[in-house]
Amino acid sequence: MPNRPQPAQLNWDDQGRPVSDSFGDVYFSKASGLEESRYVFLTHNQLPSRWTKINSEKQRKVGACPFRILETGFGTGLNFLCTWQRFLLTAEENAQLEYLSIEKYPLTPDQLRQALALWPELSDESTELLAHYPECGFGFHRFSFASGRIKLTLIIEDVATALPLIQGQIDAWYLDGFAPSKNPDMWSASLFSAMSRLSGPDTTFATFTAAGLVKRGLKGAGFEVEKHPGFGKKRDMLAGTYRQTEGPKNQAQPKPWLSPPVTRKVRPPKTAIVVGAGIAGCSTARSLAEKGVKVTLLESQMSIATGASGNPQGIFYVKLGLNTPEYNAFYWSGLILSLQRCQEWLTQKDFDRCGVLQLAMTSDDWERQQRLVSQLGFPESNMNTLDSIAVASLTGIKNDALGCLYFPQSGWVHPPALCQAAIQHPNITLVTQATVSELKQKNGGWLIKGTLNNEQAYWSADAVVVASAHKASTLTQLEHLPLKPIPGQITQWEAASAAPDIHQVLCGQGYIAPKRQGRFCTGASYRLKYQEDDHLEIKASEHQGNLNQLAALIPGSSLPDVEACTGRVSIRAATPDYAPMVGPVLSPSTFSEQYPLLQKNAKHPYTQPASYYPNLAVSIGHGSRGLSSALLSGEIIAAMLMGDPLPVSLPVAQLISPNRFLLRALKQRT
């Protein structure tokens, strides 16, 4: 596989329509691509009539479910945009759409813009899509549109590779892509097998083709198949409904204690408690609220974002690794989503895509950065390397860096503003000065005991998500999770007293961002020994340490005296492997009871699904990279609780599972 996806190779016909060079086929009907999409996919999946029933009285009693569509072949995005438009016109205003689309050869932003100009009636949707559509690398890419009602997971990958990575149930299939005679690799047995696995009662499909191999494959997968008149000059097309089983089916996975539940819930949660109102908690609350869940957000302090999320400037920083594909995929997808939501919610006063440079101060660092760019294959518009001459030219600063990783689209944000923007949703109720001391299962949901304004208080909800950083381990169900509190101090000073000329974020041993509201911010220190009595004390020695690190990034610049500096200390919650813990929780006793042979053989091939605490999840351990992980983690948790397809691949979900440490703890007891 090439390091980066091959962009679509296009020609444009005399009417400005795209034609694929690779497949020798058109992207849409010459008669009318838009009308073809509506006829084939919307009409023959009976979508408008099904959408009017999403929020029927019967469904309100069991909780709302987003409608889920999976498309094979994103192409120009035409099917997505016309579906988005009709959904908002048809479904009730609190209904949500989950749209997954797989594309092996993505259009570039310029190609997409040129193609979508053909459809002025979709200009509102096209404008919003183009505002956030990046040049994509391989993997899952999560986007949010229409104030969170429309969610797109764009999967840049071959269909046969992508489908096994998807979990959840699909309500309607768009079998698009080029004709079977021109693209036989897509119309394969693996496609039909995946459709059977991911379909349930009344799942429908529609496709423009009526080829015999497609018809036979769909029937063999359990679908009733009907032939209908095709659109325009096409004689026939196919549509139908899945009837074989009650699906979706569990797909046996290695290490099932890392795999999230896959069965669509009969009753998704209607209410949820989220504990902790930092970036992780506020993000999770927003993701649940956008799916129609009534969320109560509990914060122990008098306001939100008082911990590590309260720093005046946070950097969109991802530390990528060699030969760590799932780790890189998680953080990269998280970064793209975070930048999109900040662009949507915030003004330049609180968010600036000024670019981030990760400087290489040693030859080993520089060699590693160049290998990363070659191995990861991200588009140059998102990540590339600059040598020392290019670094000096871009920044106007000469230092000892041999080069850098450059992220042109990244930058900094004011984290409290991001938290505040995230909770601006009518389904979110914030309760401050509320502590949580105990969780108890009750009547299929949870009873939460704690205090409100120092008085005993109780709350109840269908689901609970704990996002209270290192304090999460004070709860009985979570006390086994290995979290390490690491205090850190930032340093601030008035730009007028010492003003280096900074236009991009510079990262090395420390970091500095362009000034915000007349002040510079740098940091941050690490206190590896957590001491309860002084963990929030501001120390002059750490101000000096931050300034010393900064002097290496911007030598010769005017820096302040320690006495002129202010700062704040906050606590990061880190995990042993520096990836966060996101998802449902399995108790150690249940784990050892379900998988006893692991104590002697860690590779025993168990496939029995794990018995998690029902509707309990965590989003913790984000460390110093929460800005690039917390928003995506909120989307992951919301999908898991609602039974939706995940916005990340199954291997990524397993990477960040809170239960990954259970096997290690079990072996230590032998």
Side-chain angles (χ1 to χ4, degrees):
M1 180 181 293
N3 285 332
R4 59 171 54 97
Q6 299 178 28
Q9 301 299 310
L10 303 182
N11 277 318
W12 303 84
D13 67 15
D14 56 3
Q15 295 188 38
R17 294 172 297 205
V19 180
S20 170
D21 277 354
S22 303
F23 296 99
D25 203 356
V26 295
Y27 275 85
F28 40 72
S29 168
K30 291 186 177 181
S32 172
L34 180 55
E35 291 307 315
E36 180 185 39
S37 291
R38 289 169 174 163
Y39 175 79
V40 173
F41 298 112
L42 273 68
T43 299
H44 285 89
N45 277 301
Q46 306 103 44
L47 296 188
S49 62
R50 293 167 75 184
W51 289 339
T52 61
K53 300 174 184 178
I54 289 178
N55 293 96
S56 66
E57 185 62 32
K58 180 180 178 180
Q59 284 194 307
R60 285 195 187 97
K61 292 179 180 179
V62 299
C65 295
F67 194 88
R68 298 103 169 185
I69 294 172
L70 200 159
E71 174 187 41
T72 57
F74 186 74
T76 64
L78 180 59
N79 293 337
F80 171 60
L81 295 178
C82 75
T83 302
W84 169 355
Q85 183 186 67
R86 183 65 65 86
F87 184 82
L88 294 185
L89 290 172
T90 305
E92 291 190 10
E93 62 179 345
N94 60 338
Q96 309 93 39
L97 175 68
E98 283 280 345
Y99 194 103
L100 291 82
S101 187
I102 304 170
E103 177 58 61
K104 185 176 181 180
Y105 301 108
L107 273 67
T108 67
D110 287 342
Q111 289 173 330
L112 193 68
R113 184 174 291 105
Q114 183 175 347
L116 294 179
L118 295 169
W119 315 113
E121 55 265 67
L122 296 173
S123 61
D124 289 346
E125 293 80 9
S126 298
T127 299
E128 192 169 346
L129 173 63
L130 288 165
H132 302 296
Y133 180 86
E135 289 189 82
C136 294
F138 284 114
F140 286 54
H141 304 270
R142 183 70 162 176
F143 304 94
S144 181
F145 303 106
S147 301
R149 290 186 60 196
I150 308 290
K151 298 295 177 76
L152 168 66
T153 301
L154 179 57
I155 306 168
I156 306 302
E157 192 54 86
D158 179 81
V159 167
T161 303
L163 285 170
L165 305 179
I166 297 172
Q167 282 193 309
Q169 180 172 312
I170 303 304
D171 296 311
W173 290 86
Y174 287 6
L175 301 183
D176 205 353
F178 298 105
S181 60
K182 298 178 182 293
N183 186 19
D185 290 346
M186 193 198 88
W187 304 91
S188 66
S190 63
L191 168 64
F192 304 122
S193 175
M195 290 180 67
S196 178
R197 178 176 64 84
L198 295 169
S199 297
D202 302 320
T203 296
T204 62
F205 81 90
T207 179
F208 65 90
T209 185
L213 70 89
V214 175
K215 185 176 182 179
R216 291 189 296 273
L218 288 164
K219 284 186 173 181
F223 286 85
E224 290 181 353
V225 180
E226 297 179 353
K227 188 180 289 187
H228 298 272
F231 181 83
K233 295 183 179 180
K234 293 180 180 177
R235 187 173 66 181
D236 300 309
M237 61 160 285
L238 301 177
T241 305
Y242 188 72
R243 297 299 190 197
Q244 183 166 310
T245 74
E246 292 300 312
K249 280 65 61 185
N250 290 335
Q251 183 181 24
Q253 297 289 343
K255 302 180 181 179
W257 54 92
L258 301 181
S259 298
V262 298
T263 301
R264 181 172 181 170
K265 301 182 188 311
V266 176
R267 181 180 178 181
K270 297 170 67 175
T271 59
I273 296 285
V274 176
V275 182
I279 290 173
C282 292
S283 302
T284 303
R286 179 58 174 255
S287 294
L288 287 167
E290 289 179 342
K291 288 185 178 290
V293 179
K294 298 291 185 181
V295 181
T296 301
L297 179 61
L298 302 181
E299 169 55 45
S300 62
Q301 303 300 311
M302 295 184 66
S303 61
I304 66 172
T306 56
S309 301
N311 286 343
Q313 282 179 296
I315 310 305
F316 287 105
Y317 179 90
V318 286
K319 189 173 183 179
L320 305 171
L322 292 166
N323 304 313
T324 56
E326 288 80 22
Y327 181 92
N328 294 339
F330 171 69
Y331 276 105
W332 189 255
S333 184
L335 173 66
I336 297 299
L337 177 64
S338 294
L339 292 171
Q340 185 214 339
R341 303 298 321 237
C342 286
Q343 184 173 322
E344 176 187 355
W345 292 340
L346 302 175
T347 66
Q348 194 168 2
K349 174 176 69 73
D350 293 315
F351 170 59
D352 188 3
R353 300 182 82 157
C354 58
V356 172
L357 287 77
Q358 293 181 12
L359 299 175
M361 306 305 289
T362 69
S363 58
D364 286 346
D365 288 342
W366 178 228
E367 180 185 359
R368 178 180 175 279
Q369 289 182 351
Q370 293 176 90
R371 289 174 60 199
L372 269 175
V373 168
S374 175
Q375 184 182 101
L376 300 182
F378 293 147
E380 290 186 5
S381 60
N382 287 330
M383 184 184 84
N384 57 74
T385 54
L386 302 177
D387 62 20
S388 58
I389 296 174
V391 169
S393 176
L394 176 66
T395 64
I397 295 170
K398 293 183 179 181
N399 53 35
D400 293 334
L402 301 178
C404 77
L405 273 181
Y406 179 41
F407 300 85
Q409 303 298 318
S410 195
W412 63 266
V413 71
H414 181 50
L418 175 56
C419 291
Q420 190 63 49
I423 64 172
Q424 299 308 303
H425 193 284
N427 285 339
I428 298 175
T429 299
L430 172 66
V431 180
T432 58
Q433 294 184 284
T435 64
V436 174
S437 58
E438 187 177 351
L439 304 178
K440 283 189 175 181
Q441 294 176 247
K442 185 176 181 181
N443 299 328
W446 290 91
L447 178 67
I448 297 93
K449 178 182 177 182
T451 63
L452 178 61
N453 296 320
N454 296 318
E455 298 288 336
Q456 191 172 78
Y458 295 88
W459 298 270
S460 61
D462 298 330
V464 173
V465 182
V466 179
S468 52
H470 68 287
K471 295 179 181 178
S473 57
T474 63
L475 298 171
T476 301
Q477 293 84 352
L478 310 178
E479 61 187 3
H480 65 283
L481 297 178
L483 288 167
K484 180 178 178 60
I486 303 178
Q489 179 175 312
I490 63 165
T491 297
Q492 293 180 271
W493 71 93
E494 296 293 334
S497 63
D501 193 16
I502 303 295
H503 302 285
Q504 297 85 22
V505 177
L506 302 179
C507 300
Q509 290 299 313
Y511 68 84
I512 186 169
K515 60 187 176 184
R516 174 184 177 271
Q517 295 185 346
R519 306 194 81 197
F520 282 109
C521 178
T522 189
S525 64
Y526 279 80
R527 301 180 188 173
L528 297 180
K529 292 186 177 180
Y530 175 76
Q531 296 179 349
E532 187 68 34
D533 57 345
D534 75 339
H535 67 276
L536 294 181
E537 177 189 350
I538 294 176
K539 300 180 179 181
S541 61
E542 293 189 19
H543 278 325
Q544 189 61 63
N546 287 338
L547 293 174
N548 291 343
Q549 290 180 340
L550 184 58
L553 300 181
I554 50 174
S557 297
S558 176
L559 296 179
D561 296 328
V562 169
E563 292 75 12
C565 295
T566 60
R568 69 187 302 270
V569 178
S570 56
I571 302 174
R572 316 169 185 91
T575 65
D577 58 9
Y578 299 101
M581 292 187 275
V582 179
V585 180
L586 185 64
S587 75
S589 60
T590 301
F591 175 74
S592 59
E593 290 169 5
Q594 278 197 276
Y595 309 111
L597 297 181
L598 292 175
Q599 194 162 11
K600 294 183 178 179
N601 178 11
K603 296 183 179 180
H604 185 82
Y606 278 111
T607 58
Q608 177 189 0
S611 298
Y612 297 109
Y613 288 114
N615 284 344
L616 173 65
V618 297
S619 180
I620 52 180
H622 294 275
S624 58
R625 294 187 285 276
L627 286 172
S628 299
S629 61
L631 276 81
L632 180 58
S633 297
E635 293 286 283
I636 293 168
I637 287 173
M640 288 176 175
L641 292 177
M642 300 299 289
D644 289 342
L646 300 183
V648 294
S649 71
L650 178 59
V652 168
Q654 293 176 328
L655 170 78
I656 59 177
S657 168
N659 306 303
R660 64 188 186 269
F661 300 107
L662 287 172
L663 180 59
R664 185 183 309 174
L666 185 67
K667 290 180 69 65
Q668 289 175 349
R669 294 202 297 268
T670 60

